Amino acid sequence: MKHGKNYLNTIKEIDISKVYDPAEAMKNVVASAKAKFDETIELHIRLGVDPRQADQQVRGTVVLPNGTGKNVRVLVIAKGDKADIAEKAGADLVGAEEMIAKIQNENFLDFDVCITSPDMMGQMGRVARILGPKGLMPSPKSGTVTTDIAKAVKETKAGKVEYRVDKTAIVHCPIGKKSFGDEKLLENFNSLMEAIVKAKPAAAKGTYIRSVTATATMGPGIKVNYRI
């Protein structure tokens, strides 16, 4: 694989084979983000679970103290009073049956998070095959199927992120932007890691946090020392 000039310069400055304490890792990942745009900083956490087992799933949400740095477009599927509440809470798009039809017939996907009230879930099944593969299907586990629409919208806008282990037992999750600086990134890092530790399945045996890697969009992976 060929790497760009910035990447090659970075690996001369930072020892990517070393495992760094979280604070130093955040400094290094910020230093590694040399692109002209505000790179996203992500964590990739390998867990000691078997995702094929239903009792070893790791999934949840956490509100990052400094947000994600992304303007999240929120769609709320609700009607009546709940629709009015969603608009007042700051939802970008609000609709009911007509919005479901737009997704179904026009493949409308111009949003980042979809929140719905429980009474609309029966109709949401019509678009599950469209939203599911995109990670946009509302779910009680992610807090996007709820009676408290206002809270869900405000938390999502404030920086709530969903983490979920994939089939290779890795969680991939953004924790902010390069422009945050290492201190704010460290605060977000700690919040996400604490949430994942609390979500440890009772059935998981052995080492739970196998490895943690932080990386900027165009930078190399920085290994982080975080074991329990």
Side-chain angles (χ1 to χ4, degrees), residues 105-137:
N105 300 327
E106 302 176 23
N107 201 39
F108 177 74
L109 295 170
D110 191 19
F111 52 92
D112 302 300
V113 176
C114 181
I115 297 169
T116 188
S117 53
D119 60 301
M120 295 297 296
M121 276 304 288
Q123 298 183 58
M124 288 298 293
R126 292 158 45 192
V127 292
R129 290 186 178 181
I130 298 173
L131 300 184
K134 301 290 186 180
L136 295 172
M137 186 65 185

Tab-separated table of all heavy atoms in Angstrom, residues 105-137:
chain	number	residue	atom	x	y	z
A	105	ASN	N	-40.343	5.326	-1.001
A	105	ASN	CA	-40.544	5.519	-2.437
A	105	ASN	C	-39.422	6.300	-3.120
A	105	ASN	O	-39.158	6.105	-4.302
A	105	ASN	CB	-41.872	6.236	-2.682
A	105	ASN	CG	-43.054	5.443	-2.150
A	105	ASN	OD1	-43.044	4.212	-2.158
A	105	ASN	ND2	-44.088	6.138	-1.680
A	106	GLU	N	-38.792	7.190	-2.360
A	106	GLU	CA	-37.754	8.034	-2.950
A	106	GLU	C	-36.354	7.721	-2.430
A	106	GLU	O	-35.393	8.382	-2.804
A	106	GLU	CB	-38.075	9.511	-2.680
A	106	GLU	CG	-39.424	9.963	-3.203
A	106	GLU	CD	-39.740	11.404	-2.819
A	106	GLU	OE1	-38.782	12.174	-2.556
A	106	GLU	OE2	-40.935	11.755	-2.751
A	107	ASN	N	-36.262	6.730	-1.542
A	107	ASN	CA	-34.985	6.365	-0.920
A	107	ASN	C	-34.355	7.587	-0.248
A	107	ASN	O	-33.145	7.809	-0.318
A	107	ASN	CB	-34.021	5.769	-1.951
A	107	ASN	CG	-32.926	4.938	-1.308
A	107	ASN	OD1	-33.155	4.210	-0.349
A	107	ASN	ND2	-31.720	5.035	-1.829
A	108	PHE	N	-35.185	8.386	0.415
A	108	PHE	CA	-34.732	9.605	1.075
A	108	PHE	C	-33.898	9.263	2.311
A	108	PHE	O	-34.373	8.594	3.229
A	108	PHE	CB	-35.940	10.447	1.493
A	108	PHE	CG	-35.571	11.701	2.253
A	108	PHE	CD1	-35.012	12.780	1.590
A	108	PHE	CD2	-35.773	11.788	3.622
A	108	PHE	CE1	-34.665	13.943	2.283
A	108	PHE	CE2	-35.425	12.936	4.320
A	108	PHE	CZ	-34.871	14.014	3.644
A	109	LEU	N	-32.652	9.717	2.328
A	109	LEU	CA	-31.738	9.402	3.423
A	109	LEU	C	-30.920	10.627	3.843
A	109	LEU	O	-29.791	10.476	4.324
A	109	LEU	CB	-30.791	8.268	3.016
A	109	LEU	CG	-31.437	6.899	2.748
A	109	LEU	CD1	-30.434	5.952	2.121
A	109	LEU	CD2	-32.000	6.302	4.033
A	110	ASP	N	-31.485	11.809	3.693
A	110	ASP	CA	-30.750	13.039	3.991
A	110	ASP	C	-30.834	13.385	5.481
A	110	ASP	O	-31.328	14.442	5.865
A	110	ASP	CB	-31.295	14.180	3.144
A	110	ASP	CG	-30.401	15.411	3.210
A	110	ASP	OD1	-29.219	15.264	3.600
A	110	ASP	OD2	-30.878	16.517	2.876
A	111	PHE	N	-30.368	12.457	6.313
A	111	PHE	CA	-30.335	12.655	7.762
A	111	PHE	C	-29.304	11.707	8.354
A	111	PHE	O	-28.921	10.717	7.718
A	111	PHE	CB	-31.722	12.426	8.396
A	111	PHE	CG	-32.360	11.117	8.012
A	111	PHE	CD1	-32.181	9.982	8.796
A	111	PHE	CD2	-33.147	11.008	6.871
A	111	PHE	CE1	-32.758	8.769	8.457
A	111	PHE	CE2	-33.724	9.790	6.518
A	111	PHE	CZ	-33.537	8.679	7.313
A	112	ASP	N	-28.861	12.026	9.565
A	112	ASP	CA	-27.825	11.217	10.222
A	112	ASP	C	-28.390	10.294	11.293
A	112	ASP	O	-27.820	9.238	11.569
A	112	ASP	CB	-26.777	12.132	10.860
A	112	ASP	CG	-26.134	13.057	9.845
A	112	ASP	OD1	-25.536	12.543	8.891
A	112	ASP	OD2	-26.241	14.287	9.995
A	113	VAL	N	-29.472	10.712	11.933
A	113	VAL	CA	-30.097	9.932	13.010
A	113	VAL	C	-31.605	10.006	12.844
A	113	VAL	O	-32.155	11.074	12.558
A	113	VAL	CB	-29.703	10.479	14.405
A	113	VAL	CG1	-30.444	9.717	15.508
A	113	VAL	CG2	-28.201	10.380	14.617
A	114	CYS	N	-32.248	8.855	13.025
A	114	CYS	CA	-33.705	8.804	12.958
A	114	CYS	C	-34.240	8.411	14.333
A	114	CYS	O	-33.840	7.388	14.887
A	114	CYS	CB	-34.167	7.800	11.908
A	114	CYS	SG	-35.969	7.690	11.752
A	115	ILE	N	-35.131	9.245	14.861
A	115	ILE	CA	-35.756	9.003	16.162
A	115	ILE	C	-37.252	8.845	15.942
A	115	ILE	O	-37.837	9.569	15.122
A	115	ILE	CB	-35.480	10.181	17.118
A	115	ILE	CG1	-33.978	10.307	17.385
A	115	ILE	CG2	-36.243	10.021	18.435
A	115	ILE	CD1	-33.572	11.591	18.100
A	116	THR	N	-37.868	7.917	16.651
A	116	THR	CA	-39.307	7.742	16.498
A	116	THR	C	-39.959	7.411	17.826
A	116	THR	O	-39.292	6.977	18.775
A	116	THR	CB	-39.632	6.655	15.457
A	116	THR	OG1	-41.039	6.637	15.205
A	116	THR	CG2	-39.222	5.281	15.961
A	117	SER	N	-41.255	7.629	17.886
A	117	SER	CA	-42.028	7.271	19.073
A	117	SER	C	-42.505	5.826	18.926
A	117	SER	O	-42.653	5.326	17.806
A	117	SER	CB	-43.228	8.210	19.224
A	117	SER	OG	-43.990	8.249	18.033
A	118	PRO	N	-42.723	5.121	20.032
A	118	PRO	CA	-43.113	3.704	19.972
A	118	PRO	C	-44.353	3.445	19.120
A	118	PRO	O	-44.435	2.401	18.459
A	118	PRO	CB	-43.361	3.359	21.445
A	118	PRO	CG	-42.488	4.301	22.205
A	118	PRO	CD	-42.524	5.577	21.423
A	119	ASP	N	-45.308	4.366	19.104
A	119	ASP	CA	-46.550	4.154	18.356
A	119	ASP	C	-46.337	4.147	16.842
A	119	ASP	O	-47.224	3.710	16.095
A	119	ASP	CB	-47.591	5.220	18.730
A	119	ASP	CG	-47.106	6.628	18.438
A	119	ASP	OD1	-46.074	7.021	18.993
A	119	ASP	OD2	-47.763	7.329	17.640
A	120	MET	N	-45.176	4.608	16.375
A	120	MET	CA	-44.897	4.632	14.935
A	120	MET	C	-44.062	3.448	14.474
A	120	MET	O	-43.838	3.268	13.274
A	120	MET	CB	-44.179	5.929	14.559
A	120	MET	CG	-44.990	7.199	14.760
A	120	MET	SD	-46.476	7.264	13.731
A	120	MET	CE	-45.788	7.282	12.080
A	121	MET	N	-43.586	2.626	15.416
A	121	MET	CA	-42.673	1.534	15.044
A	121	MET	C	-43.328	0.491	14.152
A	121	MET	O	-42.671	-0.139	13.325
A	121	MET	CB	-42.098	0.877	16.296
A	121	MET	CG	-40.891	1.607	16.862
A	121	MET	SD	-39.547	1.826	15.658
A	121	MET	CE	-38.933	0.135	15.523
A	122	GLY	N	-44.620	0.298	14.285
A	122	GLY	CA	-45.311	-0.660	13.421
A	122	GLY	C	-45.195	-0.282	11.954
A	122	GLY	O	-45.025	-1.151	11.091
A	123	GLN	N	-45.255	1.014	11.675
A	123	GLN	CA	-45.144	1.476	10.297
A	123	GLN	C	-43.690	1.583	9.836
A	123	GLN	O	-43.409	1.527	8.634
A	123	GLN	CB	-45.833	2.834	10.159
A	123	GLN	CG	-47.335	2.788	10.461
A	123	GLN	CD	-47.996	4.122	10.250
A	123	GLN	OE1	-47.935	4.684	9.155
A	123	GLN	NE2	-48.631	4.644	11.288
A	124	MET	N	-42.771	1.730	10.776
A	124	MET	CA	-41.355	1.829	10.419
A	124	MET	C	-40.825	0.550	9.789
A	124	MET	O	-39.805	0.555	9.107
A	124	MET	CB	-40.527	2.184	11.651
A	124	MET	CG	-40.694	3.611	12.145
A	124	MET	SD	-40.162	4.846	10.937
A	124	MET	CE	-38.379	4.534	10.900
A	125	GLY	N	-41.530	-0.557	10.015
A	125	GLY	CA	-41.112	-1.825	9.408
A	125	GLY	C	-41.062	-1.754	7.900
A	125	GLY	O	-40.315	-2.510	7.265
A	126	ARG	N	-41.829	-0.833	7.312
A	126	ARG	CA	-41.853	-0.688	5.856
A	126	ARG	C	-40.518	-0.208	5.293
A	126	ARG	O	-40.214	-0.427	4.109
A	126	ARG	CB	-42.961	0.288	5.450
A	126	ARG	CG	-44.371	-0.218	5.691
A	126	ARG	CD	-45.389	0.900	5.786
A	126	ARG	NE	-45.247	1.923	4.753
A	126	ARG	CZ	-45.869	3.095	4.774
A	126	ARG	NH1	-46.644	3.411	5.806
A	126	ARG	NH2	-45.701	3.969	3.797
A	127	VAL	N	-39.728	0.460	6.122
A	127	VAL	CA	-38.451	1.005	5.636
A	127	VAL	C	-37.248	0.381	6.342
A	127	VAL	O	-36.126	0.864	6.210
A	127	VAL	CB	-38.411	2.545	5.796
A	127	VAL	CG1	-39.416	3.196	4.859
A	127	VAL	CG2	-38.689	2.950	7.240
A	128	ALA	N	-37.475	-0.702	7.075
A	128	ALA	CA	-36.382	-1.347	7.815
A	128	ALA	C	-35.269	-1.815	6.881
A	128	ALA	O	-34.086	-1.715	7.206
A	128	ALA	CB	-36.920	-2.516	8.630
A	129	ARG	N	-35.637	-2.323	5.699
A	129	ARG	CA	-34.622	-2.821	4.765
A	129	ARG	C	-33.803	-1.695	4.159
A	129	ARG	O	-32.683	-1.923	3.679
A	129	ARG	CB	-35.286	-3.633	3.654
A	129	ARG	CG	-35.850	-4.965	4.134
A	129	ARG	CD	-36.350	-5.786	2.967
A	129	ARG	NE	-36.844	-7.085	3.394
A	129	ARG	CZ	-37.326	-8.020	2.573
A	129	ARG	NH1	-37.374	-7.776	1.266
A	129	ARG	NH2	-37.758	-9.172	3.037
A	130	ILE	N	-34.345	-0.486	4.176
A	130	ILE	CA	-33.605	0.666	3.656
A	130	ILE	C	-32.724	1.267	4.736
A	130	ILE	O	-31.544	1.545	4.521
A	130	ILE	CB	-34.585	1.733	3.113
A	130	ILE	CG1	-35.407	1.163	1.953
A	130	ILE	CG2	-33.822	2.983	2.663
A	130	ILE	CD1	-36.515	2.085	1.470
A	131	LEU	N	-33.288	1.444	5.925
A	131	LEU	CA	-32.563	2.101	7.011
A	131	LEU	C	-31.586	1.174	7.727
A	131	LEU	O	-30.515	1.617	8.157
A	131	LEU	CB	-33.551	2.681	8.026
A	131	LEU	CG	-34.537	3.729	7.515
A	131	LEU	CD1	-35.385	4.264	8.663
A	131	LEU	CD2	-33.811	4.874	6.821
A	132	GLY	N	-31.950	-0.085	7.855
A	132	GLY	CA	-31.116	-1.037	8.599
A	132	GLY	C	-29.684	-1.116	8.126
A	132	GLY	O	-28.739	-0.923	8.921
A	133	PRO	N	-29.444	-1.380	6.832
A	133	PRO	CA	-28.061	-1.487	6.337
A	133	PRO	C	-27.261	-0.193	6.487
A	133	PRO	O	-26.036	-0.218	6.503
A	133	PRO	CB	-28.252	-1.843	4.853
A	133	PRO	CG	-29.593	-2.487	4.784
A	133	PRO	CD	-30.425	-1.748	5.802
A	134	LYS	N	-27.952	0.946	6.593
A	134	LYS	CA	-27.274	2.240	6.750
A	134	LYS	C	-27.050	2.594	8.220
A	134	LYS	O	-26.459	3.639	8.524
A	134	LYS	CB	-28.115	3.353	6.104
A	134	LYS	CG	-28.381	3.167	4.625
A	134	LYS	CD	-27.139	3.366	3.798
A	134	LYS	CE	-27.450	3.314	2.308
A	134	LYS	NZ	-26.241	3.498	1.461
A	135	GLY	N	-27.524	1.733	9.119
A	135	GLY	CA	-27.390	2.020	10.546
A	135	GLY	C	-28.309	3.127	11.015
A	135	GLY	O	-28.053	3.770	12.028
A	136	LEU	N	-29.418	3.339	10.297
A	136	LEU	CA	-30.326	4.442	10.595
A	136	LEU	C	-31.657	3.989	11.190
A	136	LEU	O	-32.491	4.831	11.544
A	136	LEU	CB	-30.606	5.253	9.320
A	136	LEU	CG	-29.412	6.000	8.711
A	136	LEU	CD1	-29.796	6.582	7.354
A	136	LEU	CD2	-28.920	7.089	9.642
A	137	MET	N	-31.867	2.685	11.304
A	137	MET	CA	-33.136	2.189	11.823
A	137	MET	C	-33.232	2.460	13.324
A	137	MET	O	-32.346	2.088	14.091
A	137	MET	CB	-33.267	0.690	11.552
A	137	MET	CG	-34.617	0.100	11.936
A	137	MET	SD	-35.954	0.782	10.928
A	137	MET	CE	-37.373	0.006	11.719
